[in-house]
């Protein structure tokens, strides 16, 4: 893992690249370039992070070779139902997968059923919907422009194509409008109400969502992919005890391998396991499950709590500095690891700023903002997050300095656009 100055005190990645080069110098060259980019850039993508060498090692272990369709238990027979594996030689991966599940229940202080097999957050959401919904059923959720995720009902995604999706609004300041949630829930009588986002910077009121869902006899689902590490660290309210269904990734604020998980109330366990396998996936990636187990152990350590606290402090300082510089921040600030800079009044788009920042060694991403007027390929905003650079040791003053670096890029870009207009 890189430190704050881009130094790598281990040889893990370099040794791996050297080993790959023995077979393919071309592939090793691509990886080397990406390694150098990550080492030298300021990484602000809110959905990215750096995982530990222990997680990387687990993901590159001999478990990569093992097929294990099914779930831990005896070999599948005509009498065993859905429990068990469809392959032999699974004794040790059975133990590993059960251990991984136990550790994640420990991380989140819950007795919910957990399935650690989803390959990604999107596949976790696909399986979650399939477990409790039929095509055409109604979902009430947050749309992409207001901070939701592609799998929360976007028209181009399976969620928008297979289900009758309706969206609750945010208020003029970008906060979730809970009155609108309640009003639309009563009008639409959805089968499922979804909370959670990919670009929402405020605390989500899980208790109020649960109350509204119960009042209309809807399932309440939380996609906590972005905030899971903050929940684990105790710096964001937990959805456990409120939601019927919780999905997450493991590679964002949790600092684990790329993958997904589903938690659900015990009475829904059979439906959810069947929705993951055999409905949505075949063999689980046991090497990634090993990485998830290592990640869970790391999340149980005191230093992870300190990390989560620092992520939130850093993000608050980062947003505050942009406000001092005169920028419009959606919701006026942040309670978590992410916020949006609204560029609606600028002569350039979010994509323009993303490209210009790339050239300046700063990685962030274009993002839609509430009441978006530009296309999703251009956008009127950018999203920034503090999780990856906090992993590398950045503190509040470092992020204030980065805000000024981005401001310099903005000033240059603004001048270029004005010059183009005058030409």
């Amino acid at each position: 893992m890189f430190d704050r100055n881009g130094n790598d005190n281990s040889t893990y990645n370099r040794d791996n690249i050297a080993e790959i080069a023995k077979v393919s110098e071309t592939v090793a060259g691509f990886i080397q370039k990406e390694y150098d980019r990550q080492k030298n850039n300021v990484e602000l993508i809110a959905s990215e992070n750096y995982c530990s060498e222990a997680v990387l090692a687990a993901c590159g272990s001999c478990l990569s070779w093992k097929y294990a369709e099914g779930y831990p238990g005896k070999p599948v027979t005509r009498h065993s139902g859905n429990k068990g594996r469809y392959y032999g030689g699974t004794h040790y991966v059975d133990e590993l997968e059960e251990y991984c599940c136990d550790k994640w229940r420990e991380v989140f202080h819950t007795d919910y059923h957990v399935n650690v097999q989803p390959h990604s957050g999107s596949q976790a959401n696909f399986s979650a919907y399939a477990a409790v919904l039929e095509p055409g059923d109604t979902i009430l959720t947050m749309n992409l422009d207001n901070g939701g995720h592609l799998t929360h009902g976007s028209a181009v995604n399976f969620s928008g194509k297979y289900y009758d999706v309706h969206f609750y609004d945010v208020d003029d300041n970008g906060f979730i409008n809970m009155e609108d949630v309640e009003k639309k829930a009563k009008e639409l009588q959805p089968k499922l109400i979804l909370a959670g986002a990919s670009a929402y910077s405020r605390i989500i009121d899980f208790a109020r969502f649960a109350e509204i869902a119960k009042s209309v006899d809807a399932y309440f689902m939380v996609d906590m992919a972005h905030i899971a590490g903050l929940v684990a660290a105790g710096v964001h309210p937990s959805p456990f005890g409120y939601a019927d269904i919780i999905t997450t990734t493991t590679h964002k604020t949790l600092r684990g391998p790329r993958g997904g998980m589903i938690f659900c109330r015990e009475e829904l366990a059979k439906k959810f396991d069947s929705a993951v396998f055999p409905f949505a996936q075949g063999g689980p990636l046991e090497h990634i499950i090993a990485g998830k187990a290592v990640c869970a152990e790391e999340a149980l350590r005191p230093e992870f709590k300190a990390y989560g606290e620092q992520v939130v402090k850093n993000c608050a300082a980062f947003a505050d500095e942009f406000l001092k510089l005169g920028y419009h921040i959606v919701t006026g600030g942040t309670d978590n690891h992410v916020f949006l800079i609204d560029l609606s009044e600028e002569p350039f788009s979010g994509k323009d700023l993303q490209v210009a920042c790339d050239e300046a060694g700063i990685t962030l991403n274009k993002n839609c903002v509430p009441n978006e007027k530009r296309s999703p390929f251009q956008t009127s905003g950018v999203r920034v997050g503090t999780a990856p650079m906090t992993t590398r040791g950045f503190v509040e003053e470092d992020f204030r300095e980065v805000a000024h670096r981005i401001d310099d890029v903005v000033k240059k870009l603004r001048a270029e656009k004005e010059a183009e207009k005058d030409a």
Side-chain angles (χ1 to χ4, degrees), residues 234-294:
V235 293
H236 188 289
S238 174
F240 289 93
Y242 296 111
D244 302 299
I245 307 148
I246 299 166
T247 60
T248 186
T249 54
T250 47
H251 54 272
K252 297 184 177 77
T253 49
L254 282 171
R255 300 199 295 194
R258 297 190 68 86
M261 298 190 292
I262 300 173
F263 297 84
C264 66
R265 296 191 186 279
E266 187 61 39
E267 61 268 24
L268 299 171
K270 186 174 180 180
K271 286 184 177 181
F272 276 82
D273 284 350
S274 296
V276 176
F277 174 84
F279 180 73
Q281 297 182 180
L285 307 177
E286 292 294 343
H287 55 303
I288 303 300
I289 289 173
K292 291 173 183 177
V294 174

Side-chain angles (χ1 to χ4, degrees), residues 154-171:
S154 175
V156 298
N157 184 257
F158 74 85
S159 54
K161 292 180 182 293
Y162 291 170
Y163 303 104
D164 178 27
V165 181
H166 297 261
F167 302 107
Y168 48 80
D169 290 326
V170 295
D171 62 23

Side-chain angles (χ1 to χ4, degrees), residues 156-359:
V156 298
N157 184 257
F158 74 85
S159 54
K161 292 180 182 293
Y162 291 170
Y163 303 104
D164 178 27
V165 181
H166 297 261
F167 302 107
Y168 48 80
D169 290 326
V170 295
D171 62 23
D172 292 341
N173 295 313
F175 287 80
I176 294 173
N177 185 334
M178 295 306 300
E179 286 68 34
D180 189 60
V181 177
E182 185 170 17
K183 175 174 174 287
K184 287 177 177 171
K186 289 178 178 178
E187 289 175 355
L188 297 166
Q189 296 291 304
K191 186 80 173 288
L192 183 144
I193 297 176
L194 176 61
S198 66
Y200 185 69
S201 62
R202 295 299 183 173
I203 295 290
I204 297 173
D205 189 346
F206 297 130
R208 182 81 186 279
F209 266 105
E211 181 184 327
I212 293 169
K214 186 176 181 180
S215 74
V216 296
D217 196 27
Y219 289 107
F220 175 36
M221 174 175 162
V222 172
D223 180 345
M224 66 170 187
H226 267 266
I227 58 171
L230 306 184
V231 172
V235 293
H236 188 289
S238 174
F240 289 93
Y242 296 111
D244 302 299
I245 307 148
I246 299 166
T247 60
T248 186
T249 54
T250 47
H251 54 272
K252 297 184 177 77
T253 49
L254 282 171
R255 300 199 295 194
R258 297 190 68 86
M261 298 190 292
I262 300 173
F263 297 84
C264 66
R265 296 191 186 279
E266 187 61 39
E267 61 268 24
L268 299 171
K270 186 174 180 180
K271 286 184 177 181
F272 276 82
D273 284 350
S274 296
V276 176
F277 174 84
F279 180 73
Q281 297 182 180
L285 307 177
E286 292 294 343
H287 55 303
I288 303 300
I289 289 173
K292 291 173 183 177
V294 174
C295 173
E297 292 213 31
E298 291 175 345
L300 287 165
R301 295 177 176 177
E303 51 265 38
F304 188 84
K305 178 176 176 59
Y307 164 74
E309 291 171 349
Q310 191 61 52
V311 166
V312 174
K313 290 177 184 176
N314 284 345
C315 208
F318 202 18
D320 179 64
E321 199 65 21
F322 276 110
L323 290 169
K324 288 178 180 176
L325 289 167
Y327 287 84
H328 177 203
I329 304 300
V330 176
T331 77
T334 179
D335 298 323
N336 53 32
H337 68 299
V338 63
F339 61 90
L340 296 176
I341 303 173
D342 190 335
L343 306 167
S344 298
E345 303 304 316
E346 294 287 357
F348 55 85
S349 68
K351 181 181 179 181
D352 292 330
L353 183 54
Q354 175 184 306
V355 171
C357 282
D358 266 341
E359 294 169 354

Side-chain angles (χ1 to χ4, degrees), residues 48-112:
E48 292 184 0
N49 214 325
Y50 299 91
C51 65
S52 69
E53 291 187 9
V55 169
L56 287 176
C59 294
S61 69
C62 63
L63 295 173
S64 299
W65 311 329
K66 184 63 192 135
Y67 249 111
E69 284 186 348
Y71 291 99
K74 296 178 181 178
V76 171
T77 70
R78 60 192 175 92
H79 303 295
S80 63
N82 194 44
K83 279 293 183 185
R85 303 286 194 183
Y86 288 78
Y87 287 81
T90 61
H91 176 76
Y92 299 114
V93 293
D94 279 4
E95 291 182 346
L96 166 67
E97 195 168 321
E98 289 180 328
Y99 178 78
C100 184
C101 292
D102 288 343
K103 280 295 159 184
W104 282 112
R105 279 187 283 265
E106 190 177 344
V107 167
F108 291 113
H109 310 287
T110 184
D111 60 357
Y112 279 40

Side-chain angles (χ1 to χ4, degrees), residues 357-417:
C357 282
D358 266 341
E359 294 169 354
I362 299 170
T363 310
L364 45 72
N365 65 276
K366 64 182 185 291
N367 210 95
C368 293
V369 296
N371 303 309
E372 180 62 67
K373 299 296 191 295
R374 294 185 173 108
S375 83
F377 299 103
Q378 294 295 323
T379 79
S380 296
V382 292
R383 181 184 68 163
V384 295
T386 55
M389 294 310 293
T390 303
T391 295
R392 286 175 56 174
F394 270 36
V395 294
E396 292 93 326
E397 286 309 306
D398 296 304
F399 281 99
R400 291 186 185 278
E401 181 183 332
V402 173
H404 285 269
R405 286 181 58 184
I406 294 173
D407 184 49
D408 288 340
V409 175
V410 166
K411 288 173 180 174
K412 182 180 178 183
L413 191 55
R414 193 183 290 146
E416 290 173 355
K417 292 295 181 180

